[in-house]
Amino acid sequence: MKPSGNQQLWLGDANANSYRSLSGHLRLAPERRNNSTSPKLKVDFNQSTGVAVMHMQNPPVNSLSLGFLTEFCIAVEKLEMDKSCRGLILTSSQPKVFSAGLDIMDMYGKSPEHCAEFWRAVQEMWLKLYSSNMVTIAAINGSSPAGGCLMSLTCDYRIMADNPRYSIGLNETQLGIVAPFWFKDTMINTVGHRTTEMALELGLLYSSSDALKIGLVDQLVPEDQVLATATKTVTKWLAIPDHARQITKSMMRKPTIDKLTSNREADIQFFVNFITKDSIQKSLGMYLEMLKKRKS
Amino acid sequence: MKPSGNQQLWLGDANANSYRSLSGHLRLAPERRNNSTSPKLKVDFNQSTGVAVMHMQNPPVNSLSLGFLTEFCIAVEKLEMDKSCRGLILTSSQPKVFSAGLDIMDMYGKSPEHCAEFWRAVQEMWLKLYSSNMVTIAAINGSSPAGGCLMSLTCDYRIMADNPRYSIGLNETQLGIVAPFWFKDTMINTVGHRTTEMALELGLLYSSSDALKIGLVDQLVPEDQVLATATKTVTKWLAIPDHARQITKSMMRKPTIDKLTSNREADIQFFVNFITKDSIQKSLGMYLEMLKKRKS
Amino acid sequence: MKPSGNQQLWLGDANANSYRSLSGHLRLAPERRNNSTSPKLKVDFNQSTGVAVMHMQNPPVNSLSLGFLTEFCIAVEKLEMDKSCRGLILTSSQPKVFSAGLDIMDMYGKSPEHCAEFWRAVQEMWLKLYSSNMVTIAAINGSSPAGGCLMSLTCDYRIMADNPRYSIGLNETQLGIVAPFWFKDTMINTVGHRTTEMALELGLLYSSSDALKIGLVDQLVPEDQVLATATKTVTKWLAIPDHARQITKSMMRKPTIDKLTSNREADIQFFVNFITKDSIQKSLGMYLEMLKKRKS
């Protein structure tokens, strides 16, 4: 997939240089972490195994902001283009949360142009992950609502911490917004039509054990073993010849991916029209007020 | 969906006037019930909750006759157009049966024109229910074969009486007839491809507990709690903002609905050609004989 | 489905005459079994029940070679055209194996023309079985990897011997090759999208009990009861009026069948290009070496 015009801007992102070289165990310099431009991702690439672990560190809850998504897509693309990187584990550095999903601040009170750019970045994240040639494993070590759930669903395998307080699901309707068709398609591909219908209409969040029951995640392990299990799992997947696995993965996912790539601009337009409506902006405003009150 | 030409006739139905006003708790006048033109439906609309309960009362087994379907579609359309009505519960006033399905008397020994009109009414019932903007709950308080099962499958949620003597399923092949593609599609959307394939080819009727196991119904409760549970359930669904739920529902069901709307006349023609065949008429005749013998 | 040009050649096969008459209990003459051209199938047709049992006897492991597939397709077509034959049970005469799948010797070191002819025969086997008007039951009395699993998946019902040493699955990727889209579609129709995705990407082989859990087979019985259970099952299916069952089966499977029939030549070309690649030939060679070593 060629980066579109808009993504040229991303390549100019202040943090982009951090990911230029991915040889050996790359760790971003710790002194950068507290900068205002501190990287939102820590990528550990183990060249001997060919597996990269991407730790999301966008405090407090790994919101998928435009900035984060930009950095994320660059990082994934660099790994994708590095022939020596064959596996990718996604996990969180933040306590109790994998990712809280799309950043509402990029949809609330913003210009149509900003909303369009944001949505294109969400699409890009999904396209890059769902079509990745790498083996992708979600090491879900915390709650994972909405966009966080979507990110998990794009992976080849999902391992979640066995903690009843962690939940996962596409709960958009609870906020008065709607998961677009490609979120829906990804969920149908994972848990089937009926479960998706009820889950999306009610905006259901599932506890980790319920998520396992419906197949929204593949495995539960104690929280301190999530990453180790992901590492073992990726090794198992990498035992399969890459070309056969990749052709098979593409065959399974191509129709779903093609639906978005051939409707990408219309999908952006639909999102922008929807999210900039007065009534939807009001809903988001009320939701933000509610979040503020809950904190105080 | 605009009513087609044929439906103009239905609007002239003798019972149509009964449903003109739907304000407050509407109950059809009891003195009408024993008329030869007594209404086949009792609609209780609770304006404070925004929920209508539709009791099917077409003795003895709520057969879906042309007359019943006509009345049913008018009633649903009126509720659909009433902005204050947001939820619909379907249930039966007849003992032991939710609905016995399509009325064979409208397919046996009838003219092609009558069969066509009947089939258009079956399509209309499905289209209205499957695309309803209301939250629809099937309160299945009795057996529900064939068309009765289809009606249940169109709803957002199915609650069945936990009674091993009640069964549900699309058992058309057992009668030598065939569930059309949109019955099939609705069942696939609910229980998946493989379960549907075996269920339709064998014309399987499932006990309530088996129906729960395969996902044909969502919940079993004691018979006397079916309606109360449906009322609680509709409240939960109505807590989701209407517009988000409705867009999501439409996104899930539109492809299936579009398949019928764009093939409606061909589907009618196929049904009429099939059902008026000598061999099929003979099968239906034998089935009716068998029913008569069973009664005596 | 009309036989294509290539199949004319098959009709000239040395064993073809053995299947010309299918009246009463047909058994192939035992003295032919040890010939170099001994039939690879034993067909027992019971005219009183209308059920044929096809025993695969292509030692040692019922590999689906071009020769076997040719004989198999002729036999199925003859049964299909015999109005008195309404049910077909597929089983194995070889110990411990139902079928080991496609014969690698027809893909290794062969001309593109041979590979194309071979692939057309694989397609033909799938098309004949998946679209059969007969009730088809797989009596899986041994392991059934790859093409053997595909053959099972085409049937209306799968009964497997309850033996933990027997496995079943589409394990192509483990050999560095890829199950084509119609293998994939058949598996999705049986066990759903997500299970298929993981099974195909990892080339998973399931024990009989795991196969039952995911729905890859429908029933497990003790090994000595597989055929008797298949016979009972086919009787149950034949109780449904043929025309209604056949129309329903066609409605369920036609879209999947049409996808191959309208892409048949392209699918052959794709297979030939893939399998004749140096890298793939090398993989197959290594796999054959490994098999040889394992034996000695």
Side-chain angles (χ1 to χ4, degrees):
Chain A
M1 207 168 315
K2 286 265 184 275
S4 66
N6 274 39
Q7 291 172 273
Q8 298 301 322
L9 296 175
W10 302 358
L11 295 168
D13 183 274
N15 296 319
N17 287 322
S18 316
Y19 300 91
R20 285 283 148 81
S21 67
L22 285 164
S23 54
H25 267 72
L26 177 151
R27 273 181 184 273
L28 298 170
E31 66 272 14
R32 295 201 55 178
R33 289 205 197 141
N34 297 320
N35 286 0
S36 65
T37 59
S38 70
K40 298 174 173 68
L41 289 169
K42 179 164 72 73
V43 181
D44 289 337
F45 178 50
N46 183 330
Q47 210 167 32
S48 71
T49 62
V51 176
V53 182
M54 204 179 263
H55 302 265
M56 298 185 276
Q57 48 185 26
N58 189 22
V61 291
N62 288 332
S63 287
L64 306 177
S65 63
L66 178 55
F68 177 85
L69 289 168
T70 304
E71 195 170 320
F72 184 85
C73 287
I74 293 168
V76 173
E77 181 152 336
K78 286 187 178 292
L79 295 172
E80 196 77 46
M81 287 162 60
D82 182 341
K83 294 274 176 196
S84 68
C85 183
R86 301 169 58 222
L88 171 63
I89 295 170
L90 292 181
T91 196
S92 165
S93 293
Q94 304 311 118
K96 296 180 191 165
V97 69
F98 178 73
S99 162
L102 305 189
D103 194 332
I104 294 177
M105 299 317 295
D106 277 306
M107 314 186 221
Y108 182 64
K110 291 289 183 296
S111 70
E113 290 72 25
H114 183 92
C115 291
E117 193 188 358
F118 174 61
W119 198 247
R120 189 181 300 278
V122 180
Q123 291 177 332
E124 192 64 23
M125 178 268 283
W126 180 83
L127 288 167
K128 282 205 168 3
L129 287 176
Y130 204 54
S131 70
S132 176
N133 271 324
M134 297 181 281
V135 169
T136 53
I137 310 280
I140 310 167
N141 53 350
S143 281
S144 195
C149 176
L150 177 74
M151 187 180 260
S152 304
L153 285 172
T154 63
C155 291
D156 292 315
Y157 197 78
R158 285 160 285 287
I159 298 156
M160 190 168 182
D162 189 1
N163 186 328
R165 283 171 308 166
Y166 295 165
S167 64
I168 183 169
L170 294 176
N171 61 324
E172 279 79 356
T173 55
Q174 294 228 15
L175 285 66
I177 59 175
V178 175
F181 71 88
W182 37 289
F183 284 48
K184 173 208 67 160
D185 289 342
T186 316
M187 188 159 182
I188 290 177
N189 287 351
T190 311
V191 300
H193 192 280
R194 171 58 184 157
T195 301
T196 300
E197 180 176 76
M198 197 149 69
L200 292 191
E201 290 190 30
L202 292 173
L204 295 180
L205 287 173
Y206 296 88
S207 69
S208 51
S209 60
D210 284 346
L212 181 68
K213 263 179 220 153
I214 64 162
L216 194 57
V217 301
D218 297 300
Q219 194 178 347
L220 298 188
V221 297
E223 189 157 353
D224 60 359
Q225 293 167 33
V226 170
L227 197 53
T229 308
T231 304
K232 263 182 243 160
T233 303
V234 80
T235 304
K236 195 178 74 172
W237 284 68
L238 289 175
I240 303 296
D242 277 351
H243 70 278
R245 184 186 49 72
Q246 287 161 358
I247 294 172
T248 302
K249 182 171 178 175
S250 167
M251 183 173 64
M252 293 299 301
R253 299 188 169 190
K254 193 168 181 303
T256 307
I257 290 164
D258 286 351
K259 257 176 78 180
L260 179 57
T261 47
S262 62
N263 286 289
R264 201 164 169 182
E265 298 308 318
D267 180 61
I268 292 172
Q269 205 51 58
F270 182 87
F271 171 76
V272 172
N273 289 347
F274 181 81
I275 210 71
T276 55
K277 272 185 192 162
D278 285 348
S279 59
I280 302 301
Q281 285 292 313
K282 203 176 146 191
S283 287
L284 293 179
M286 282 163 62
Y287 183 73
L288 287 170
E289 279 305 311
M290 190 265 286
L291 286 184
K292 272 184 208 165
K293 273 178 198 158
R294 206 188 272 175
K295 275 186 194 166
S296 61
Chain B
M1 209 169 313
K2 287 263 182 275
S4 68
N6 274 40
Q7 291 173 272
Q8 298 300 323
L9 296 175
W10 302 357
L11 295 169
D13 183 273
N15 297 319
N17 287 323
S18 317
Y19 300 92
R20 285 283 148 80
S21 67
L22 286 163
S23 54
H25 268 74
L26 176 150
R27 273 180 183 273
L28 299 171
E31 65 272 17
R32 296 201 53 177
R33 286 201 200 148
N34 298 318
N35 285 1
S36 65
T37 59
S38 71
K40 298 173 174 69
L41 290 168
K42 180 163 72 72
V43 181
D44 289 337
F45 178 50
N46 183 330
Q47 209 167 34
S48 72
T49 61
V51 176
V53 181
M54 205 178 263
H55 302 264
M56 298 185 276
Q57 48 184 25
N58 188 23
V61 291
N62 289 332
S63 286
L64 306 178
S65 63
L66 177 56
F68 177 84
L69 288 168
T70 304
E71 195 170 319
F72 184 85
C73 288
I74 293 169
V76 172
E77 181 152 337
K78 287 190 175 292
L79 295 172
E80 196 76 46
M81 286 162 60
D82 183 341
K83 295 274 177 197
S84 68
C85 183
R86 301 170 57 221
L88 172 63
I89 294 169
L90 292 182
T91 196
S92 166
S93 293
Q94 304 311 117
K96 296 181 191 165
V97 69
F98 178 74
S99 163
L102 304 189
D103 194 331
I104 294 176
M105 299 317 294
D106 278 305
M107 313 185 223
Y108 182 62
K110 290 289 184 295
S111 71
E113 291 72 26
H114 182 92
C115 291
E117 194 187 358
F118 173 60
W119 198 247
R120 189 181 300 279
V122 180
Q123 292 176 334
E124 193 64 25
M125 178 267 284
W126 180 82
L127 288 168
K128 282 205 168 2
L129 287 176
Y130 204 54
S131 69
S132 175
N133 271 324
M134 298 181 281
V135 170
T136 53
I137 311 281
I140 310 166
N141 52 351
S143 281
S144 196
C149 176
L150 178 74
M151 188 180 259
S152 303
L153 284 172
T154 63
C155 290
D156 292 314
Y157 197 79
R158 285 160 284 289
I159 298 157
M160 190 167 181
D162 189 2
N163 186 328
R165 283 171 307 166
Y166 295 165
S167 63
I168 184 168
L170 294 176
N171 60 324
E172 279 79 356
T173 54
Q174 294 229 14
L175 284 68
I177 57 175
V178 176
F181 72 87
W182 37 289
F183 283 49
K184 174 209 65 159
D185 290 343
T186 316
M187 188 158 182
I188 290 177
N189 287 350
T190 310
V191 300
H193 191 280
R194 171 58 184 157
T195 301
T196 299
E197 181 175 73
M198 198 151 66
L200 292 191
E201 290 190 30
L202 293 172
L204 295 179
L205 286 173
Y206 296 87
S207 69
S208 52
S209 61
D210 284 345
L212 182 68
K213 263 179 220 153
I214 64 161
L216 194 57
V217 301
D218 297 301
Q219 194 178 348
L220 298 188
V221 297
E223 189 157 353
D224 61 359
Q225 294 168 32
V226 170
L227 198 52
T229 307
T231 304
K232 262 182 243 160
T233 303
V234 79
T235 305
K236 194 178 76 173
W237 283 67
L238 289 176
I240 303 297
D242 277 351
H243 70 278
R245 184 186 50 71
Q246 288 162 357
I247 294 172
T248 302
K249 181 172 178 175
S250 166
M251 182 172 63
M252 294 299 301
R253 299 187 169 191
K254 194 169 181 304
T256 307
I257 290 165
D258 287 351
K259 257 176 79 181
L260 179 58
T261 47
S262 62
N263 286 289
R264 201 164 170 181
E265 298 308 319
D267 180 61
I268 291 172
Q269 206 50 57
F270 182 88
F271 171 76
V272 172
N273 290 346
F274 181 83
I275 209 72
T276 56
K277 272 185 191 161
D278 285 349
S279 58
I280 303 300
Q281 285 292 312
K282 204 176 147 191
S283 287
L284 293 178
M286 282 163 62
Y287 183 74
L288 286 169
E289 279 305 311
M290 189 266 285
L291 286 183
K292 272 184 207 165
K293 274 178 198 159
R294 205 188 272 175
K295 275 186 195 167
S296 62
Chain C
M1 207 169 312
K2 286 264 183 275
S4 67
N6 275 39
Q7 292 172 271
Q8 299 301 323
L9 296 175
W10 303 357
L11 294 168
D13 183 273
N15 297 319
N17 286 323
S18 315
Y19 300 92
R20 284 285 147 81
S21 67
L22 287 163
S23 54
H25 268 73
L26 177 151
R27 274 180 183 273
L28 299 171
E31 65 272 15
R32 294 202 55 177
R33 288 205 197 142
N34 298 319
N35 286 1
S36 66
T37 58
S38 71
K40 299 173 173 69
L41 290 169
K42 179 164 71 72
V43 182
D44 290 337
F45 177 50
N46 184 329
Q47 209 166 34
S48 72
T49 61
V51 176
V53 181
M54 204 178 264
H55 303 265
M56 299 185 276
Q57 49 185 26
N58 189 22
V61 291
N62 289 331
S63 286
L64 306 177
S65 63
L66 177 56
F68 176 85
L69 289 168
T70 304
E71 195 170 320
F72 184 85
C73 287
I74 292 168
V76 173
E77 181 153 338
K78 286 188 176 293
L79 295 171
E80 196 77 46
M81 285 161 61
D82 183 340
K83 294 275 175 197
S84 68
C85 183
R86 300 170 59 221
L88 172 62
I89 295 170
L90 292 181
T91 196
S92 165
S93 293
Q94 305 311 118
K96 297 181 191 166
V97 69
F98 179 73
S99 162
L102 305 188
D103 194 332
I104 293 177
M105 299 317 295
D106 278 306
M107 314 185 223
Y108 182 63
K110 291 290 183 293
S111 71
E113 290 71 26
H114 182 91
C115 292
E117 194 188 357
F118 174 60
W119 198 246
R120 189 181 300 279
V122 180
Q123 291 176 334
E124 194 63 24
M125 178 267 284
W126 180 83
L127 287 167
K128 282 206 168 1
L129 286 177
Y130 204 55
S131 70
S132 176
N133 271 323
M134 298 180 280
V135 169
T136 53
I137 310 282
I140 310 168
N141 53 350
S143 281
S144 197
C149 177
L150 177 75
M151 187 180 260
S152 303
L153 285 172
T154 63
C155 290
D156 292 316
Y157 196 79
R158 284 160 285 287
I159 298 157
M160 190 168 182
D162 189 2
N163 185 328
R165 283 171 308 166
Y166 295 165
S167 64
I168 184 169
L170 294 176
N171 61 324
E172 279 79 356
T173 54
Q174 295 228 13
L175 286 66
I177 58 175
V178 175
F181 72 88
W182 39 288
F183 283 49
K184 173 208 66 162
D185 289 343
T186 316
M187 188 159 183
I188 290 178
N189 287 351
T190 311
V191 300
H193 192 281
R194 171 57 184 158
T195 302
T196 300
E197 181 176 76
M198 198 150 68
L200 292 192
E201 291 190 29
L202 292 173
L204 295 180
L205 286 173
Y206 297 88
S207 69
S208 52
S209 61
D210 285 345
L212 182 69
K213 263 179 220 154
I214 65 161
L216 193 57
V217 301
D218 297 302
Q219 195 179 346
L220 298 188
V221 298
E223 190 156 352
D224 61 358
Q225 293 168 33
V226 170
L227 197 53
T229 308
T231 304
K232 263 182 242 160
T233 302
V234 79
T235 305
K236 195 178 74 173
W237 283 67
L238 289 176
I240 303 297
D242 277 351
H243 70 277
R245 183 185 50 72
Q246 287 162 357
I247 295 172
T248 302
K249 182 172 178 175
S250 167
M251 182 172 64
M252 294 299 301
R253 299 186 169 192
K254 195 168 180 301
T256 307
I257 290 163
D258 287 351
K259 257 176 78 180
L260 180 58
T261 46
S262 62
N263 286 288
R264 201 164 169 182
E265 298 308 318
D267 181 61
I268 292 172
Q269 206 50 58
F270 182 87
F271 171 76
V272 172
N273 289 347
F274 181 82
I275 209 73
T276 55
K277 272 185 192 162
D278 285 349
S279 58
I280 302 300
Q281 286 292 312
K282 202 176 148 192
S283 288
L284 293 178
M286 283 162 62
Y287 183 74
L288 287 169
E289 279 304 311
M290 190 265 285
L291 286 183
K292 274 185 206 165
K293 274 179 198 156
R294 207 188 273 174
K295 275 186 196 168
S296 61

